[in-house]
Amino acid sequence: MTTMQLLLQTLVCITLVATLVIAPIAWFCMVRAQTRSAYWKNMVFFAAPILLTFLLADAAGLMPEASPPPSEIPEVEDVLAGIPTGQLILLSLAAALWVGGGNVLLYRHRRRLGKKWWQALNPFDPPFKDFNTAEWLTLGGLAAGSLALGALAVSYGPGAL
């Protein structure tokens, strides 16, 4: 191991630890931003440390080599036939809970604020900045419920038990 590689690996560790602190704070500030400039500033503070960590990890040789693409793409029926029915049901429930519950949550949020449906398409006006406590708790419950169903589906897979 060369001195340069050791230095890069040390920098990767330092940037990873810094990213684990900075990125969640920047994400929270980004979704709560009241102005466009604050949104973009926090977007940079969110994305830059993550990208820097990957860049340094690649330079240090810590990134795995990409596997070659498969020579033949399997048919959807072949892929779904190999998945147990219980696992498909749990994954479908997780997706339905997240997508359906998220849409209902955002619909009720926009209705509470009196916004039109097309105002949700503005990327510079994220809905999270105006969430009240009940909406944050609902979003957390949706995330926890869908992740729990997804984890249960993964544990239900072949060879899991």
Side-chain angles (χ1 to χ4, degrees), residues 106-107 110-111 113-121 125:
L106 291 178
Y107 168 76
R110 284 192 305 271
R111 190 177 71 182
L113 294 178
K115 290 185 176 182
K116 303 290 183 204
W117 68 269
W118 53 267
Q119 289 174 312
L121 303 175
D125 186 24

Side-chain angles (χ1 to χ4, degrees), residues 52-66:
L52 180 64
T53 302
F54 279 107
L55 180 70
L56 288 173
D58 188 43
L62 299 175
M63 298 294 285
E65 292 295 323

Side-chain angles (χ1 to χ4, degrees), residues 5-139:
Q5 195 173 19
L6 183 61
L7 176 66
L8 286 172
Q9 288 179 357
T10 305
L11 283 174
V12 168
C13 292
I14 292 170
T15 56
L16 179 63
V17 169
T19 300
L20 291 174
V21 174
I22 294 169
I25 295 169
W27 177 84
F28 182 76
C29 292
M30 180 181 66
V31 298
R32 301 282 298 173
Q34 298 293 328
T35 64
R36 186 175 294 185
S37 63
Y39 177 82
W40 280 110
K41 178 186 75 167
N42 288 303
M43 173 67 89
V44 168
F45 280 126
F46 174 73
I50 296 170
L51 294 174
L52 180 64
T53 302
F54 279 107
L55 180 70
L56 288 173
D58 188 43
L62 299 175
M63 298 294 285
E65 292 295 323
S67 60
S71 59
E72 186 177 305
I73 298 175
E75 296 293 326
V76 175
E77 294 84 17
D78 295 337
V79 173
L80 292 179
I83 300 175
T85 306
Q87 191 174 20
L88 281 174
I89 291 171
L90 288 170
L91 285 172
S92 299
L93 287 173
L97 176 65
W98 181 250
V99 173
N103 280 320
V104 169
L105 172 65
L106 291 178
Y107 168 76
R108 292 179 56 134
H109 170 71
R110 284 192 305 271
R111 190 177 71 182
R112 179 179 65 84
L113 294 178
K115 290 185 176 182
K116 303 290 183 204
W117 68 269
W118 53 267
Q119 289 174 312
L121 303 175
N122 184 359
F124 301 113
D125 186 24
F128 307 110
K129 68 177 184 169
D130 300 321
F131 268 21
N132 59 22
T133 304
E135 290 166 340
W136 277 111
L137 291 173
T138 303
L139 182 63

